[in-house]
Amino acid sequence: MLAYTLFVLFAGGLQALAARVQVTWDVGYLNISRDGLSKWRAIGANGQLPIPPIYISQGDILELTAINHLDKPLSLHAHGLFQRNSTFYDGVGMATECGIPPGAQFTYIIETRDQCGTFWIHAHYGTEGIDGLRTALIIHDQDPQLLDEYDEDVLLTLEDWGHEPYDDHIKMLQTIAEVDMPPNHPTVLINGINANFSQPIRFSPGRRYRLRIVSMSFTYWFKVRLPGHTMQVIEADGISSRPSAVDGLDMCPGQRYSVIITAKESLEFNYALNVTFYNDFIVDIPGLTTLYHHVPIVYHDNAPVKTYPVIEDHEVKWADELAMEPRDKQMLLEPVDHHIVRSVKALPKDLGVPIYAFGNYSYAPVPVLPFHGHAFQVVESGPVHKNSSIPVKRFKGRQPMRRDTITLALGQYVKVRIQADNPGVWFQHCHQEQHNLSGLGFTLIEAPDVMQRTLRMPSEMMEFCRILGHSTQGNSAGRAGSDMTGIEQPIAIPGSANSISDTV
């Protein structure tokens, strides 16, 4: 159900017309086979999977009402939206809210005054997102100069889709050492359907296409290329960039890009957009863990598909945030006031605790780090160990690119900078679902004194906590002072010291 209400905004004496866009999701279970292979109890909205994308314009206010017909709490997160002055709408279950109880409903208010671009919305309570509750959110830019750079806007969503509810998949992974079978790897969905049956994208000679690519994945990575065409990157994770010519995109879970592709003048050939589905930190099983798909790019129905020689990844010019610059020319944030060091450690399984945690010295394989409430400047990456052959890469200009999600590759570090200008509670975690569920996350509490003075959580949220049996007062255990009775105590990570150091 989608409804629109118009209202007038006044700013600086100028009248601007914006929309209040109201979307309702009746969230419930669906017994469905999205890939034509496995039918299981997934989670959808309004009896649908895939959930239709949401399109709004910069300056609009999105009111997203979720009605919970599940048998467990529910929360929704708008991935990449800053939620300024409304951290309680960030939608992270048991971090910024207790969740919407079964049978209840709640409306998230998402303002877009200072953001536009390509985003997505997904559930952020347990495994509800990977089990289906996700869709793209497009906030159209109103900048006439940018709109003049392309003729058509095309959305391409990329998803991983399992063969059973993810809770069941996790149980299988925990017993994989005791059973003689490989893991049950997911299927690729492109624009909501099995990638083996991808629908064509039609090109007309000479037209310029803005292709918005959204990795709505929770487990695997995607590589995207269109041989014979150049991609001009103009956006990464909702941040407009100066055009940067590349051959392809290497996308981790949660990342988004916009590229402009100028169609060829000839109708002689059709082409294939190559989509590679891969995961570097598990044993490669040909035809199972790395999958190759093609989206037809059709110039003429009767034209043959032009083929190109296979080239190695190291020969491809991939999009690289360290080689990009933002369109708004934001300068490098300096001087640095505080340094926070977070390294990732895999815990021994015999501790009987979550597999991954933030500590010192060691690291888990290939975490994906989205930053809630902020876009960060990417300034440097390199090897953890000095004797590594991995090169150190630094941004060499004065206006580093910003984004909100990045891969922390095995054995490497990345340095990012943020401006602490958004008071709130922001959950930073790995977007690889198994890592997230296994404890790979931490909470950034920004300007708590300002929060106490200026932020007021909606009364419905407080009532939801009461219904679900969670305290709304005291410390993280709902008790006074340092009394943490009733919650799990911090785990002493072997060989690890405190992983945060602050320098003013």
Side-chain angles (χ1 to χ4, degrees):
M1 180 170 61
L2 180 61
Y4 295 89
T5 303
L6 295 181
F7 68 103
V8 177
L9 295 176
F10 294 91
L14 298 177
Q15 179 173 308
L17 191 63
R20 185 179 294 272
V21 182
Q22 298 174 328
V23 178
T24 297
W25 282 1
D26 193 331
V27 178
Y29 295 108
L30 297 172
N31 286 312
I32 190 171
S33 174
R34 295 187 67 191
D35 58 6
L37 301 175
S38 305
K39 186 174 184 179
W40 49 276
R41 192 175 80 156
I43 299 176
N46 304 329
Q48 290 181 286
L49 273 179
I51 301 169
I54 298 173
Y55 294 91
I56 59 177
S57 296
Q58 185 175 11
D60 290 349
I61 296 176
L62 173 63
E63 297 182 354
L64 178 57
T65 299
I67 305 171
N68 186 6
H69 283 130
L70 305 177
D71 56 7
K72 55 188 175 182
L74 165 70
S75 68
L76 297 178
H77 169 64
H79 190 118
L81 273 293
F82 296 154
Q83 300 291 10
R84 293 194 184 279
N85 303 312
S86 56
T87 183
F88 37 78
Y89 287 137
D90 196 43
V92 183
M94 299 311 297
T96 61
E97 63 172 281
C98 296
I100 306 168
Q105 69 179 56
F106 182 74
T107 299
Y108 294 88
I109 308 297
I110 302 171
E111 298 192 9
T112 65
R113 287 189 301 266
D114 58 351
Q115 289 188 266
C116 60
T118 309
F119 306 89
W120 61 305
I121 295 176
H122 60 85
H124 213 308
Y125 199 108
T127 60
E128 295 164 356
I130 195 172
D131 283 350
L133 201 57
R134 44 182 157 169
T135 195
L137 169 63
I138 306 302
I139 305 176
H140 288 295
D141 197 313
Q142 301 301 298
D143 180 0
Q145 181 179 351
L146 177 60
L147 295 175
D148 191 51
E149 293 179 5
Y150 58 92
D151 303 304
E152 295 189 34
D153 203 321
V154 180
L155 175 63
L156 194 74
T157 61
L158 307 175
E159 298 179 70
D160 48 357
W161 189 249
H163 304 291
E164 66 277 302
Y166 199 72
D167 281 337
D168 295 344
H169 183 72
I170 287 292
K171 293 175 184 176
M172 183 270 293
L173 290 178
Q174 292 172 340
T175 60
I176 197 67
E178 289 80 36
V179 296
D180 186 21
M181 61 174 288
N184 198 358
H185 298 284
T187 302
V188 180
L189 303 179
I190 298 180
N191 282 346
I193 65 173
N194 189 317
N196 290 316
F197 309 101
S198 297
Q199 298 300 301
I201 298 173
R202 305 195 74 88
F203 274 17
S204 295
R207 289 184 69 79
R208 301 162 301 171
Y209 295 85
R210 176 175 182 164
L211 185 59
R212 299 177 186 265
I213 307 171
V214 187
S215 174
M216 301 196 307
S217 171
F218 285 84
T219 57
Y220 276 51
W221 278 243
F222 291 97
K223 291 177 181 175
V224 181
R225 295 185 60 234
L226 180 53
H229 298 71
T230 298
M231 294 179 169
Q232 293 281 350
V233 180
I234 62 165
E235 178 212 352
D237 296 353
I239 303 297
S240 293
S241 66
R242 297 176 185 175
S244 174
V246 302
D247 300 323
L249 310 171
D250 191 353
M251 304 178 66
C252 69
Q255 286 187 330
R256 296 90 63 208
Y257 280 103
S258 282
V259 298
I260 293 177
I261 301 174
T262 301
K264 294 184 176 297
E265 295 293 345
S266 171
L267 296 175
E268 183 180 4
F269 293 105
N270 294 325
Y271 298 84
L273 182 77
N274 298 333
V275 177
T276 303
F277 185 60
Y278 78 100
N279 194 325
D280 274 345
F281 60 86
I282 60 177
V283 176
D284 185 41
I285 304 173
L288 188 60
T289 58
T290 301
L291 301 175
Y292 302 92
H293 296 283
H294 307 284
V295 178
I297 303 297
V298 176
Y299 282 79
H300 191 280
D301 289 335
N302 297 322
V305 177
K306 187 173 180 62
T307 59
Y308 290 86
V310 176
I311 62 175
E312 299 296 327
D313 276 3
H314 69 270
E315 302 177 82
V316 177
K317 182 181 179 182
W318 299 102
D320 180 0
E321 51 275 324
L322 283 167
M324 297 168 60
E325 294 184 345
R327 185 180 289 261
D328 64 10
K329 302 180 181 180
Q330 185 189 88
M331 300 298 290
L332 176 69
L333 296 171
E334 57 183 355
V336 175
D337 301 304
H338 294 270
H339 296 269
I340 299 177
V341 179
R342 284 295 198 191
S343 53
V344 185
K345 186 176 182 67
L347 301 181
K349 290 185 178 180
D350 58 7
L351 288 179
V353 297
I355 301 172
Y356 303 108
F358 279 97
N360 267 344
Y361 309 123
S362 297
Y363 37 84
V366 200
V368 178
L369 303 178
F371 216 105
H372 288 224
H374 297 272
F376 47 76
Q377 294 183 340
V378 187
V379 297
E380 183 178 313
S381 67
V384 172
H385 303 294
K386 293 182 179 180
N387 59 353
S388 171
S389 60
I390 299 171
V392 174
K393 297 168 59 179
R394 297 185 178 91
F395 178 76
K396 296 179 181 179
R398 300 299 301 165
Q399 299 167 1
M401 187 58 189
R402 306 189 304 282
R403 68 182 318 160
D404 58 50
T405 305
I406 198 167
T407 294
L408 180 59
L410 180 65
Q412 298 187 40
Y413 68 85
V414 63
K415 291 183 180 180
V416 302
R417 295 183 182 183
I418 67 164
Q419 182 94 46
D421 59 356
N422 195 8
V425 176
W426 308 112
F427 186 46
Q428 318 305 337
H429 62 98
C430 183
H431 216 286
Q432 210 281 348
E433 188 76 342
Q434 184 182 353
H435 294 174
N436 179 37
L437 296 174
S438 299
L440 190 53
F442 67 95
T443 302
L444 177 67
I445 303 175
E446 187 172 339
D449 54 336
V450 178
M451 274 197 295
Q452 288 180 326
R453 294 197 308 269
T454 63
L455 300 185
R456 293 293 179 269
M457 180 175 283
S459 58
E460 304 102 300
M461 285 186 162
M462 304 291 278
E463 177 63 13
F464 291 163
C465 291
R466 186 194 66 78
I467 292 172
L468 294 169
H470 304 303
S471 175
T472 58
Q473 296 181 336
N475 56 31
S476 56
R479 299 179 181 276
S482 58
D483 182 2
M484 294 294 179
T485 304
I487 66 170
E488 293 184 8
Q489 297 303 301
I491 300 162
I493 301 175
S496 175
N498 189 336
S499 62
I500 301 180
S501 61
D502 290 341
T503 303
V504 179

